[in-house]
Amino acid sequence: MSRGLIVVDVQNDFCEGGSVPVAGGARLATAIADLVERSAGGDYAYVVATRDHHIDPGTHFSDDPDFRDSFPVHCVVGEAGGEFHPGFAPVVTGGKVDAVFFKGAHSASKSGFEGFDAQGAPLADWLRARGVEDLDVVGIATDHCVRATALDAVAAGFRARVLLDYSVGVASDTTAAAVQDFHRAGVAVSGETPTR
């Protein structure tokens, strides 16, 4: 049995200065990088990251977004907003992240479990092939893509835990609702509940 870490969408567009910024995203990018540096090969047998990777996601992009199902244009393939934040990117380029899973080319695809690596392997298959059974999930945003990834992890048969100290939500009410969803689904929760 081994434990893996999923780092969700620590990308420029989701941090301050991006097209869909989440307050605290830049600080979180550095904190997650520190977690990976301390834990890769120790607490975690494998570390993976997800990336929003949009080409034409249809109604997910909107000029009049509701910020639930539709958002301003973000994380477009080939643009700087879709790249990993500079606070996190060095652990990826430095080989501390074992694989990156791209999601949302032609759909919203909030969950990392809808993503594929560069060889076309889906996240669940990649993890199972390496004997991973337990997962910690961190990243941006607690009430959107972190939520979807953690819930899908449990649905796929993994034991999942969200580390709230290493996640940040868009809004306090939706973040609190996500934490309740975690409890109902059997996702463990660790850390303080952030206000945002």
Side-chain angles (χ1 to χ4, degrees):
M1 174 179 70
S2 61
R3 178 174 292 279
L5 176 68
I6 302 177
V7 180
V8 177
D9 299 357
V10 181
Q11 295 168 260
N12 289 325
D13 272 344
F14 298 135
C15 297
E16 293 84 348
S19 63
V20 192
V22 180
R27 173 198 55 78
L28 184 71
T30 302
I32 291 175
D34 290 344
L35 173 67
V36 171
E37 287 283 2
R38 291 194 317 268
S39 303
D43 294 343
Y44 300 112
Y46 298 97
V47 177
V48 301
T50 70
R51 276 178 64 173
D52 256 16
H53 191 72
H54 295 309
I55 297 171
D56 181 14
T59 58
H60 185 57
F61 284 172
S62 174
D63 292 332
D64 185 25
D66 64 13
F67 295 94
R68 272 190 64 189
D69 300 310
S70 61
F71 295 85
V73 174
H74 62 277
C75 298
V76 173
V77 173
E79 295 188 7
E83 299 299 319
F84 288 120
H85 186 275
F88 176 69
V91 297
V92 180
T93 57
K96 301 289 186 178
V97 172
D98 297 292
V100 176
F101 291 81
F102 300 89
K103 61 189 180 66
H106 298 284
S107 65
S109 296
K110 289 186 177 183
S111 171
F113 284 88
E114 297 175 90
F116 298 87
D117 71 3
Q119 288 71 47
L123 177 56
D125 290 354
W126 191 96
L127 293 167
R128 287 190 190 105
R130 289 155 180 80
V132 175
E133 296 180 0
D134 294 280
L135 293 167
D136 284 349
V137 183
V138 301
I140 306 171
T142 312
D143 40 352
H144 290 279
C145 295
V146 169
R147 174 188 176 278
T149 300
L151 295 178
D152 278 359
V154 169
F158 297 95
R159 287 182 291 272
R161 175 176 65 173
V162 172
L163 306 183
L164 292 177
D165 289 340
Y166 293 94
S167 303
V168 64
V170 172
S172 57
D173 59 340
T174 52
T175 299
V179 171
Q180 291 304 310
D181 290 341
F182 297 150
H183 291 304
R184 281 192 291 270
V187 175
V189 177
S190 172
E192 296 297 317
T193 303
T195 57
R196 283 190 58 84

